[in-house]
Amino acid sequence: MRKNAENVILIILIAIVAYSLISLFTSSVVVTNQFYAGVAGLTIAAITRIWNQKLSGLILTGLLAIGIVNIISFSHYTFTFSLNLIPFLKINPLILVFFFAEFLINGPSILKLLSDNSENKTDSGEETDYKQTEIEKFYNMYEKLSDKELEAISDKSNGYVEPARIAAGDILIKRNNGL
């Protein structure tokens, strides 16, 4: 249901852009660089949708976010209003509605993306430390084994865990290099 709503938003935006492009070629309509940026961004979001719907949703949400304040536009018409508090800030109400709908769909993904970046770095560091500890444990266990036994362990088809295979391979490399 949510992805269908996202498709509807994308289709409506494409229809608005198509109407503006038809108007551009059939009448004396003048478009701005913001419109061309919107067309390019919408094209990228639509093409990305074929391969990765989540990424396409994030791109579309970002486009709509900057479209709210008319940094980019999807039509040659201007649907804006401004507040008396900030007169230079003109808000596009149609894009604002689309943005809220899109944010309801992709909000959790966006918030996760923004909040998990710092946590992922520490998690991968802890995982690397754990893996290194495991390799050292197997290295100490396997130091006295023969080369034939180490080769059997380092063979992937024998079912040994990865740290065991790495430790056996490291011992074999050290022995072959005379260290």
Side-chain angles (χ1 to χ4, degrees), residues 11-43 73-77:
I11 289 169
I12 290 171
L13 288 172
I14 290 171
I16 292 170
V17 166
Y19 175 74
S20 293
L21 288 173
I22 290 169
S23 296
L24 176 67
F25 294 121
T26 60
S27 62
S28 61
V29 173
V30 177
V31 293
T32 62
N33 289 335
Q34 288 93 345
F35 175 73
Y36 291 122
V39 170
L42 195 58
T43 303
S73 66
F74 301 101
S75 173
H76 63 283
Y77 293 116

Side-chain angles (χ1 to χ4, degrees), residues 51-115:
W51 294 285
N52 190 336
Q53 288 189 355
K54 187 175 181 180
L55 178 61
S56 174
L58 294 174
I59 291 169
L60 187 57
T61 305
L63 289 170
L64 290 170
I66 59 177
I68 291 171
V69 292
N70 291 313
I71 294 173
I72 64 170
S73 66
F74 301 101
S75 173
H76 63 283
Y77 293 116
T78 51
F79 308 107
T80 61
F81 69 89
S82 64
L83 304 172
N84 289 336
L85 299 173
I86 311 169
F88 63 87
L89 181 65
K90 295 185 181 196
I91 297 174
N92 188 328
L94 181 63
I95 301 301
L96 184 64
V97 169
F98 287 155
F99 172 76
F100 282 134
E102 188 69 26
F103 193 76
L104 285 174
I105 296 168
N106 289 315
S109 299
I110 294 168
L111 295 175
K112 184 179 179 188
L113 179 72
L114 295 175
S115 66

